[in-house]
Amino acid sequence: MAKVPHILIVDDHREIRDAVTRYLEKNGFRASSARDAAEMDAKLKTGRFDLIVLDVMMPGEDGLSVCRRLGASGEIPILMLTALGEETDRIVGLEIGADDYLSKPFNPRELLARIKAILRRSARSDAAAAQLTGRKVGFAGWVLDTDTRQLRRAGAAETPDVRLTTAEFKLLTTFLERPRFVLSRDQLLDLTSGRAAQVFDRTIDNQVSRLRRKIEDDPSDPRLITTVRGGGYVLAADVKEIA
């Protein structure tokens, strides 16, 4: 029997929680809900979920803080719910690990379509991750452990590992899979989050800047992830698997 995806809706508005729960169950999903981050944490300890629908504006710990905390592990995909017109929340959410966003008020059919799209991408990512299990990849004096998502300088055991966010890990592995290949912003956005760019969307540029600060000797003069005028970005380094 096929596994039924289990969705957790985290929103302080009871009407939204109940309506989304009923709609998802009507369309073949399992659905649970939580009114805040504390209740969400309690449910995550006792159940397994395939995706979290997470509201940004909540009392106590807000959605962006929750996304940053959960996004560091990258274990559960997150769809953010943002107030209409709150572009800053949307961009920050995507940068710190959210897989997609939807502005309130929203059409339930669009929410369902986005959830299905995220789950399809997640399934493909899981399949790819299974092939990468136990791999260590070297490039330009760096070693990435694809299991722990930690980055360290090659041959520098005393140097602390560099911790990558989910978004940074996705972006880096996208480059590592395509070294010396020019990738446009649209391609990078599609490959890392499975969505199309919108007008003035700076998500990829911001993520590249954050990643450069972690791997470049001089982020102001990048030599590893270089900008291609009118094209996008390219990883200017050879990549090899380390036994």
Side-chain angles (χ1 to χ4, degrees), residues 35-219:
R35 64 179 177 273
D36 55 23
E39 188 173 3
M40 176 202 73
D41 287 337
K43 295 202 172 186
L44 288 175
K45 291 179 181 178
T46 59
R48 186 188 183 284
F49 298 91
D50 298 284
L51 183 144
I52 297 175
V53 177
L54 179 64
D55 186 31
V56 170
M57 298 298 295
M58 296 189 299
E61 186 180 11
D62 65 34
L64 291 177
S65 175
V66 171
C67 184
R68 183 178 291 105
R69 175 160 58 86
L70 297 182
S73 67
E75 294 180 357
I76 307 177
I78 298 172
L79 190 158
M80 300 287 294
L81 296 179
T82 66
L84 186 62
E86 292 296 328
E87 184 176 3
T88 300
D89 289 344
R90 172 179 66 82
I91 293 173
V92 172
L94 291 170
E95 289 179 349
I96 63 179
D99 293 83
D100 202 350
Y101 74 95
L102 190 59
S103 297
K104 291 181 175 180
F106 55 84
N107 185 314
R109 291 180 62 185
E110 183 175 3
L111 174 65
L112 180 63
R114 289 177 180 265
I115 287 174
K116 289 181 176 179
I118 293 173
L119 291 176
R120 285 195 299 269
R121 296 198 300 268
S122 179
R124 291 196 296 267
S125 297
D126 288 344
Q131 297 176 355
L132 294 176
T133 298
R135 284 186 59 187
K136 293 183 179 179
V137 182
F139 67 101
W142 288 98
V143 176
L144 175 67
D145 188 319
T146 58
D147 277 353
T148 63
R149 298 190 176 191
Q150 289 182 323
L151 190 64
R152 63 177 174 82
R153 289 284 189 181
E158 71 282 358
T159 304
D161 290 339
V162 175
R163 192 74 181 179
L164 299 172
T165 66
T166 298
E168 291 163 354
F169 177 77
K170 289 180 179 178
L171 182 61
L172 179 56
T173 53
T174 297
F175 281 123
L176 292 176
E177 290 168 354
R178 303 162 181 83
R180 302 192 182 280
F181 187 85
V182 177
L183 294 167
S184 69
R185 291 172 176 82
D186 286 350
Q187 287 173 318
L188 286 168
L189 197 58
D190 181 59
L191 289 166
T192 56
S193 64
R195 64 184 185 86
Q198 297 188 6
V199 178
F200 305 124
D201 193 329
R202 305 291 294 178
T203 301
I204 287 298
D205 298 310
N206 291 333
Q207 289 179 1
V208 168
S209 294
R210 290 170 183 264
L211 185 57
R212 279 172 168 167
R213 288 198 289 270
K214 294 187 176 182
I215 69 172
E216 297 278 2
D217 292 331
D218 181 3

Side-chain angles (χ1 to χ4, degrees), residues 217-230:
D217 292 331
D218 181 3
S220 65
D221 184 24
R223 301 298 178 91
L224 294 182
I225 300 177
T226 60
T227 303
V228 178
R229 186 178 298 275

